[in-house]
Amino acid sequence: MQKYDDNKNKSGMRVIFMIAQMMVLLVVYIFVYTSFKAVQYSIEKFDTNPVMYFPVLVAMVIFPVLLYKYRQMFNSGKMLVAAVWTMGLLL
Protein backbone atom coordinates (compact mmCIF):
# COMPACT_ATOMS: atom_id res chain seq x y z
CA MET A 1 0.00 0.00 0.00
CA GLN A 2 1.31 3.41 -0.99
CA LYS A 3 1.26 6.26 1.51
CA TYR A 4 0.12 9.75 0.58
CA ASP A 5 3.01 12.18 0.20
CA ASP A 6 2.19 15.90 0.16
CA ASN A 7 5.74 16.80 -0.92
CA LYS A 8 4.95 15.65 -4.46
CA ASN A 9 2.02 18.06 -4.59
CA LYS A 10 4.13 20.92 -3.25
CA SER A 11 6.92 20.32 -5.74
CA GLY A 12 4.40 20.11 -8.58
CA MET A 13 2.78 23.38 -7.52
CA ARG A 14 6.24 24.97 -7.31
CA VAL A 15 6.89 24.01 -10.93
CA ILE A 16 3.50 25.33 -12.06
CA PHE A 17 4.07 28.57 -10.15
CA MET A 18 7.51 29.03 -11.73
CA ILE A 19 6.03 28.49 -15.21
CA ALA A 20 3.30 31.02 -14.44
CA GLN A 21 5.91 33.52 -13.28
CA MET A 22 7.91 33.02 -16.46
CA MET A 23 4.80 33.65 -18.52
CA VAL A 24 4.06 36.83 -16.53
CA LEU A 25 7.64 38.00 -17.00
CA LEU A 26 7.40 37.30 -20.73
CA VAL A 27 4.22 39.35 -21.06
CA VAL A 28 5.69 42.19 -19.01
CA TYR A 29 8.88 42.26 -21.06
CA ILE A 30 6.87 42.31 -24.28
CA PHE A 31 5.16 45.46 -22.99
CA VAL A 32 8.49 46.90 -21.79
CA TYR A 33 10.06 46.31 -25.20
CA THR A 34 7.07 47.90 -26.95
CA SER A 35 7.26 50.88 -24.61
CA PHE A 36 11.00 51.16 -25.20
CA LYS A 37 10.43 51.25 -28.96
CA ALA A 38 7.59 53.78 -28.56
CA VAL A 39 9.82 56.09 -26.52
CA GLN A 40 12.59 55.68 -29.07
CA TYR A 41 10.17 56.59 -31.87
CA SER A 42 8.88 59.56 -29.87
CA ILE A 43 12.41 60.86 -29.31
CA GLU A 44 13.27 60.56 -32.99
CA LYS A 45 10.01 61.95 -34.36
CA PHE A 46 8.92 64.54 -31.81
CA ASP A 47 12.22 65.46 -30.11
CA THR A 48 11.02 64.49 -26.64
CA ASN A 49 13.35 64.28 -23.70
CA PRO A 50 15.36 61.04 -23.24
CA VAL A 51 14.23 61.07 -19.59
CA MET A 52 11.12 59.33 -20.91
CA TYR A 53 13.17 56.10 -20.84
CA PHE A 54 13.17 56.24 -17.03
CA PRO A 55 9.72 54.66 -16.39
CA VAL A 56 10.50 51.89 -18.88
CA LEU A 57 13.81 51.12 -17.17
CA VAL A 58 12.16 51.21 -13.74
CA ALA A 59 9.54 48.70 -14.88
CA MET A 60 12.28 46.51 -16.34
CA VAL A 61 14.03 46.40 -12.95
CA ILE A 62 11.03 46.33 -10.59
CA PHE A 63 9.13 43.38 -12.07
CA PRO A 64 11.84 40.72 -11.61
CA VAL A 65 12.37 41.95 -8.04
CA LEU A 66 8.63 41.65 -7.32
CA LEU A 67 8.48 38.18 -8.85
CA TYR A 68 11.43 37.12 -6.70
CA LYS A 69 9.64 38.38 -3.58
CA TYR A 70 6.48 36.52 -4.59
CA ARG A 71 8.49 33.33 -5.12
CA GLN A 72 9.90 33.69 -1.61
CA MET A 73 6.36 34.19 -0.33
CA PHE A 74 5.24 31.06 -2.20
CA ASN A 75 8.08 28.97 -0.79
CA SER A 76 7.34 30.16 2.75
CA GLY A 77 3.86 28.64 2.57
CA LYS A 78 1.69 31.56 1.49
CA MET A 79 0.95 29.94 -1.86
CA LEU A 80 -2.45 31.44 -2.62
CA VAL A 81 -1.41 34.98 -1.70
CA ALA A 82 1.72 34.72 -3.84
CA ALA A 83 -0.25 33.39 -6.81
CA VAL A 84 -2.80 36.19 -6.54
CA TRP A 85 -0.09 38.87 -6.34
CA THR A 86 1.75 37.34 -9.30
CA MET A 87 -1.35 37.30 -11.46
CA GLY A 88 -2.21 40.78 -10.24
CA LEU A 89 0.93 42.10 -11.89
CA LEU A 90 -0.76 41.68 -15.26
CA LEU A 91 -3.57 44.02 -14.30
Side-chain angles (χ1 to χ4, degrees):
M1 184 158 115
Q2 191 175 11
K3 290 188 177 182
Y4 176 74
D5 186 17
D6 200 35
N7 290 329
K8 289 182 182 180
N9 288 342
K10 284 184 181 181
S11 64
M13 286 306 298
R14 221 177 257 129
V15 169
I16 291 171
F17 184 72
M18 292 288 285
I19 291 171
Q21 278 198 328
M22 285 186 245
M23 296 301 290
V24 167
L25 192 62
L26 179 68
V27 168
V28 167
Y29 274 164
I30 287 171
F31 280 108
V32 166
Y33 178 74
T34 304
S35 300
F36 182 77
K37 286 304 209 178
V39 169
Q40 184 179 9
Y41 177 73
S42 174
I43 289 172
E44 289 174 3
K45 214 58 160 163
F46 304 113
D47 296 326
T48 56
N49 199 345
V51 174
M52 301 309 259
Y53 281 118
F54 182 71
V56 178
L57 295 175
V58 167
M60 193 168 68
V61 172
I62 291 291
F63 276 98
V65 172
L66 287 175
L67 289 176
Y68 176 72
K69 292 290 184 183
Y70 299 152
R71 188 169 4 127
Q72 285 180 332
M73 188 186 305
F74 186 87
N75 290 336
S76 71
K78 301 176 184 173
M79 296 176 181
L80 183 60
V81 176
V84 169
W85 276 104
T86 300
M87 295 303 136
L89 284 177
L90 292 177
L91 299 176

